[in-house]
Tab-separated table of all heavy atoms in Angstrom:
chain	number	residue	atom	x	y	z
L	1	ASN	N	-17.353	15.987	12.582
L	1	ASN	CA	-16.513	16.628	11.610
L	1	ASN	C	-15.469	17.585	12.360
L	1	ASN	O	-15.894	18.464	13.161
L	1	ASN	CB	-17.352	17.520	10.640
L	1	ASN	CG	-18.063	16.690	9.675
L	1	ASN	OD1	-18.127	15.434	9.846
L	1	ASN	ND2	-18.742	17.294	8.735
L	2	THR	N	-14.248	17.364	12.144
L	2	THR	CA	-13.204	18.216	12.798
L	2	THR	C	-12.470	18.900	11.658
L	2	THR	O	-11.704	18.355	10.873
L	2	THR	CB	-12.179	17.313	13.551
L	2	THR	OG1	-12.844	16.599	14.528
L	2	THR	CG2	-11.141	18.229	14.215
L	3	LEU	N	-12.763	20.210	11.557
L	3	LEU	CA	-12.242	21.154	10.524
L	3	LEU	C	-11.075	21.947	11.116
L	3	LEU	O	-11.281	22.665	12.045
L	3	LEU	CB	-13.335	21.943	9.954
L	3	LEU	CG	-12.949	23.061	8.889
L	3	LEU	CD1	-12.351	22.301	7.660
L	3	LEU	CD2	-14.191	23.783	8.489
L	4	ASP	N	-9.932	21.822	10.457
L	4	ASP	CA	-8.750	22.651	10.874
L	4	ASP	C	-8.319	23.533	9.721
L	4	ASP	O	-7.767	23.123	8.753
L	4	ASP	CB	-7.569	21.672	11.271
L	4	ASP	CG	-6.454	22.364	11.974
L	4	ASP	OD1	-6.253	23.564	11.700
L	4	ASP	OD2	-5.696	21.766	12.695
L	5	TRP	N	-8.651	24.815	9.906
L	5	TRP	CA	-8.323	25.750	8.871
L	5	TRP	C	-6.779	26.008	8.725
L	5	TRP	O	-6.287	26.311	7.684
L	5	TRP	CB	-9.055	27.079	9.093
L	5	TRP	CG	-10.486	27.075	8.793
L	5	TRP	CD1	-11.438	27.172	9.727
L	5	TRP	CD2	-11.189	26.787	7.603
L	5	TRP	NE1	-12.709	27.102	9.231
L	5	TRP	CE2	-12.561	26.804	7.846
L	5	TRP	CE3	-10.738	26.657	6.336
L	5	TRP	CZ2	-13.535	26.671	6.830
L	5	TRP	CZ3	-11.706	26.529	5.312
L	5	TRP	CH2	-13.071	26.544	5.640
L	6	ARG	N	-6.141	25.962	9.885
L	6	ARG	CA	-4.720	26.189	9.883
L	6	ARG	C	-3.990	25.068	9.120
L	6	ARG	O	-3.135	25.318	8.257
L	6	ARG	CB	-4.142	26.249	11.354
L	6	ARG	CG	-2.679	26.491	11.355
L	6	ARG	CD	-2.103	26.519	12.794
L	6	ARG	NE	-2.553	27.731	13.451
L	6	ARG	CZ	-3.398	27.899	14.434
L	6	ARG	NH1	-4.149	26.773	14.823
L	6	ARG	NH2	-3.710	29.012	15.019
L	7	GLN	N	-4.317	23.811	9.405
L	7	GLN	CA	-3.753	22.700	8.654
L	7	GLN	C	-4.435	22.397	7.347
L	7	GLN	O	-3.913	21.655	6.552
L	7	GLN	CB	-3.771	21.490	9.536
L	7	GLN	CG	-3.056	21.479	10.922
L	7	GLN	CD	-1.546	21.507	10.657
L	7	GLN	OE1	-1.035	21.156	9.632
L	7	GLN	NE2	-0.825	21.932	11.654
L	8	ARG	N	-5.480	23.069	7.119
L	8	ARG	CA	-6.312	22.938	5.907
L	8	ARG	C	-6.690	21.382	5.747
L	8	ARG	O	-6.326	20.705	4.806
L	8	ARG	CB	-5.565	23.364	4.685
L	8	ARG	CG	-5.162	24.843	4.743
L	8	ARG	CD	-4.403	25.319	3.511
L	8	ARG	NE	-5.273	25.409	2.335
L	8	ARG	CZ	-4.836	25.337	1.105
L	8	ARG	NH1	-3.532	25.130	0.879
L	8	ARG	NH2	-5.664	25.570	0.043
L	9	SER	N	-7.456	20.968	6.679
L	9	SER	CA	-7.829	19.505	6.759
L	9	SER	C	-9.196	19.372	7.380
L	9	SER	O	-9.605	20.134	8.222
L	9	SER	CB	-6.834	18.591	7.450
L	9	SER	OG	-6.815	18.955	8.852
L	10	LEU	N	-9.979	18.419	6.898
L	10	LEU	CA	-11.263	18.041	7.517
L	10	LEU	C	-11.223	16.553	7.712
L	10	LEU	O	-11.005	15.767	6.779
L	10	LEU	CB	-12.425	18.389	6.520
L	10	LEU	CG	-13.804	17.947	7.038
L	10	LEU	CD1	-14.220	18.544	8.287
L	10	LEU	CD2	-14.820	18.140	5.866
L	11	HIS	N	-11.482	16.114	8.936
L	11	HIS	CA	-11.569	14.673	9.261
L	11	HIS	C	-12.999	14.434	9.724
L	11	HIS	O	-13.503	15.114	10.597
L	11	HIS	CB	-10.553	14.306	10.323
L	11	HIS	CG	-9.145	14.464	9.874
L	11	HIS	ND1	-8.549	13.492	9.141
L	11	HIS	CD2	-8.209	15.400	10.074
L	11	HIS	CE1	-7.280	13.900	8.832
L	11	HIS	NE2	-7.058	15.017	9.368
L	12	ILE	N	-13.558	13.339	9.136
L	12	ILE	CA	-14.930	12.992	9.414
L	12	ILE	C	-14.988	11.563	9.974
L	12	ILE	O	-14.568	10.592	9.391
L	12	ILE	CB	-15.783	13.028	8.167
L	12	ILE	CG1	-15.588	14.450	7.370
L	12	ILE	CG2	-17.270	12.787	8.405
L	12	ILE	CD1	-16.092	14.465	5.959
L	13	GLU	N	-15.523	11.462	11.177
L	13	GLU	CA	-15.708	10.170	11.866
L	13	GLU	C	-17.210	9.863	11.964
L	13	GLU	O	-17.997	10.703	12.466
L	13	GLU	CB	-15.131	10.166	13.229
L	13	GLU	CG	-13.643	10.362	13.282
L	13	GLU	CD	-12.807	9.210	12.762
L	13	GLU	OE1	-13.383	8.146	12.608
L	13	GLU	OE2	-11.557	9.445	12.471
L	14	THR	N	-17.619	8.671	11.509
L	14	THR	CA	-19.070	8.361	11.483
L	14	THR	C	-19.225	6.971	12.038
L	14	THR	O	-18.480	6.041	11.867
L	14	THR	CB	-19.568	8.385	10.019
L	14	THR	OG1	-19.363	9.570	9.371
L	14	THR	CG2	-21.140	8.138	10.062
L	15	TYR	N	-20.269	6.820	12.889
L	15	TYR	CA	-20.646	5.533	13.399
L	15	TYR	C	-22.089	5.427	13.520
L	15	TYR	O	-22.870	6.417	13.583
L	15	TYR	CB	-19.976	5.287	14.799
L	15	TYR	CG	-20.356	6.238	15.837
L	15	TYR	CD1	-21.488	5.966	16.689
L	15	TYR	CD2	-19.696	7.415	16.130
L	15	TYR	CE1	-21.865	6.813	17.651
L	15	TYR	CE2	-20.083	8.305	17.081
L	15	TYR	CZ	-21.195	8.065	17.890
L	15	TYR	OH	-21.627	8.905	18.894
L	16	ASN	N	-22.620	4.145	13.539
L	16	ASN	CA	-24.076	3.901	13.574
L	16	ASN	C	-24.598	4.030	15.032
L	16	ASN	O	-24.014	3.519	15.935
L	16	ASN	CB	-24.446	2.614	13.027
L	16	ASN	CG	-23.855	1.443	13.802
L	16	ASN	OD1	-22.623	1.409	13.990
L	16	ASN	ND2	-24.673	0.486	14.128
L	17	GLU	N	-25.750	4.700	15.118
L	17	GLU	CA	-26.497	4.775	16.361
L	17	GLU	C	-27.526	3.622	16.395
L	17	GLU	O	-27.795	3.058	17.454
L	17	GLU	CB	-27.117	6.130	16.544
L	17	GLU	CG	-27.706	6.418	17.953
L	17	GLU	CD	-28.216	7.870	17.962
L	17	GLU	OE1	-29.258	8.099	17.353
L	17	GLU	OE2	-27.594	8.633	18.708
L	18	SER	N	-28.214	3.342	15.311
L	18	SER	CA	-29.218	2.313	15.256
L	18	SER	C	-28.507	0.937	15.256
L	18	SER	O	-27.527	0.760	14.597
L	18	SER	CB	-30.037	2.457	13.874
L	18	SER	OG	-30.633	3.733	13.890
L	19	PHE	N	-29.100	-0.021	15.971
L	19	PHE	CA	-28.643	-1.299	16.005
L	19	PHE	C	-27.221	-1.519	16.373
L	19	PHE	O	-26.519	-2.344	15.909
L	19	PHE	CB	-28.863	-2.102	14.716
L	19	PHE	CG	-30.276	-2.019	14.207
L	19	PHE	CD1	-30.647	-1.294	13.072
L	19	PHE	CD2	-31.318	-2.617	14.984
L	19	PHE	CE1	-31.939	-1.208	12.671
L	19	PHE	CE2	-32.618	-2.578	14.498
L	19	PHE	CZ	-33.001	-1.909	13.368
L	20	SER	N	-26.699	-0.601	17.213
L	20	SER	CA	-25.286	-0.582	17.576
L	20	SER	C	-24.851	-1.862	18.298
L	20	SER	O	-23.666	-2.121	18.354
L	20	SER	CB	-24.936	0.629	18.430
L	20	SER	OG	-25.664	0.673	19.608
L	21	THR	N	-25.780	-2.530	18.958
L	21	THR	CA	-25.336	-3.787	19.600
L	21	THR	C	-25.356	-4.990	18.665
L	21	THR	O	-24.858	-6.035	19.002
L	21	THR	CB	-26.338	-4.145	20.736
L	21	THR	OG1	-27.683	-4.224	20.226
L	21	THR	CG2	-26.344	-2.985	21.801
L	22	ARG	N	-25.906	-4.824	17.517
L	22	ARG	CA	-25.978	-5.947	16.573
L	22	ARG	C	-25.000	-5.688	15.374
L	22	ARG	O	-24.552	-6.639	14.831
L	22	ARG	CB	-27.362	-6.095	15.976
L	22	ARG	CG	-28.444	-6.455	16.991
L	22	ARG	CD	-29.809	-6.523	16.427
L	22	ARG	NE	-30.789	-6.956	17.375
L	22	ARG	CZ	-31.151	-8.221	17.666
L	22	ARG	NH1	-30.507	-9.161	17.009
L	22	ARG	NH2	-32.018	-8.495	18.521
L	23	VAL	N	-24.797	-4.501	14.970
L	23	VAL	CA	-23.998	-4.129	13.856
L	23	VAL	C	-23.049	-2.918	14.265
L	23	VAL	O	-23.473	-2.012	14.829
L	23	VAL	CB	-24.766	-3.662	12.563
L	23	VAL	CG1	-23.835	-3.450	11.378
L	23	VAL	CG2	-25.827	-4.730	12.269
L	24	ILE	N	-21.772	-2.993	13.984
L	24	ILE	CA	-20.897	-1.964	14.242
L	24	ILE	C	-20.350	-1.425	12.919
L	24	ILE	O	-19.585	-2.106	12.153
L	24	ILE	CB	-19.680	-2.374	15.125
L	24	ILE	CG1	-20.235	-2.946	16.481
L	24	ILE	CG2	-18.725	-1.250	15.329
L	24	ILE	CD1	-19.138	-3.412	17.363
């Protein structure tokens, strides 16, 4: 989570840790 109070924005990046070689 990247929260920027100045720009008033929250960007959320999510990726899987389980089975990362089989499913992305």
Side-chain angles (χ1 to χ4, degrees):
N1 289 7
T2 303
L3 176 61
D4 190 332
W5 290 113
R6 180 182 285 108
Q7 299 289 340
R8 301 178 74 202
S9 67
L10 172 65
H11 294 281
I12 307 166
E13 299 287 346
T14 305
Y15 62 89
N16 62 306
E17 191 176 68
S18 301
F19 306 113
S20 57
T21 59
R22 297 178 178 271
V23 184
I24 300 175

